[in-house]
Amino acid sequence: MTNLQMPATRDYGWALKPVSSSHFNIHQKGNGQFCVVLNHALLRGVSAEMLHWWFLNFTRLRVLLKDVPGYVLQEVPGYWLWHPVDHLSATLSGNLGPGGVAKEGCSIHIREAMQYDRFGWKYPVDAKLKVYYVGSDGWAMGKALPLVGPVMMLRIHFKDVFEDGQHVGVHYHYEVVIGATGNNPVTRFINRKIASEFGPEFFAAWHRHNVIEVGTFENFLPALFAQKDASSSVEYARDMNPDLPSPDTQTGYDWALFERRLSGYKNSDTPYVYQQYQSPSFL
């Protein structure tokens, strides 16, 4: 990974969300397996339909940046809008949907670095994962080993939120399970090996990365979604930025859900079953 060149930071003029806008915790099991729960602030101006479209298409999107400093009239991967610092590339392969969109059973190759502005390549990701779920309510990807089963699974849930009959945003919730289930010499060895690359220290850095990543949806996704019928190439300019209040006072959207899901992982002997990574949303 250190031989790869991270693109220069993109200054879109956005106010990035702080980690205080989320609920986050890591629970480590006795066998070295661990579980992460991250509950985000409500996504304002975004709909579940927009998010579903994004996850189907983001790897193939090209975006013409009209007025971003250092990128004026340059076409870049849509993945570079999803995080202004940490993202390098994301590509799909295998059995894809019509036009090359994501489909359950395909593979995704992700290259990025957690908090690149602070740590450089200390916490890199250069991973090829299987996509297990592509739904109107979420997304799941991960890795399984023969005779062992899942050893990494990342599951996203999202749901429209209404107040007094009016759409006010999206509840966006993220859970990760890392390591093999069970407690024997084989699973403990596997979990030590996985944790050496993707352990709790990595996911502590991932916390800020993901809060920024998810928060940016409020800034760019409505503008890109409005162009969804144009082509795989769309445009973005800083004057498209919505007039949003500061995110500094936001907190995670659902504390009760966060506590319930974290408690569930602490009490579960089968975290991947509890995670429901191949099931519809539990929100």
Side-chain angles (χ1 to χ4, degrees), residues 17 69 98 130 145 168 170 201 215 223 234 239 241 250 259 281:
K17 289 193 176 184
K130 181 178 178 180
L145 296 177
V168 295
V170 174
E201 184 184 49
V234 296
D239 63 9
N241 291 344
Q250 286 188 298
E259 284 197 309
S281 174

Side-chain angles (χ1 to χ4, degrees), residues 224-236:
L224 264 58
F225 183 75
Q227 304 172 66
K228 66 183 177 67
D229 295 327
S231 68
S232 60
S233 180
V234 296
E235 297 181 354
Y236 194 83

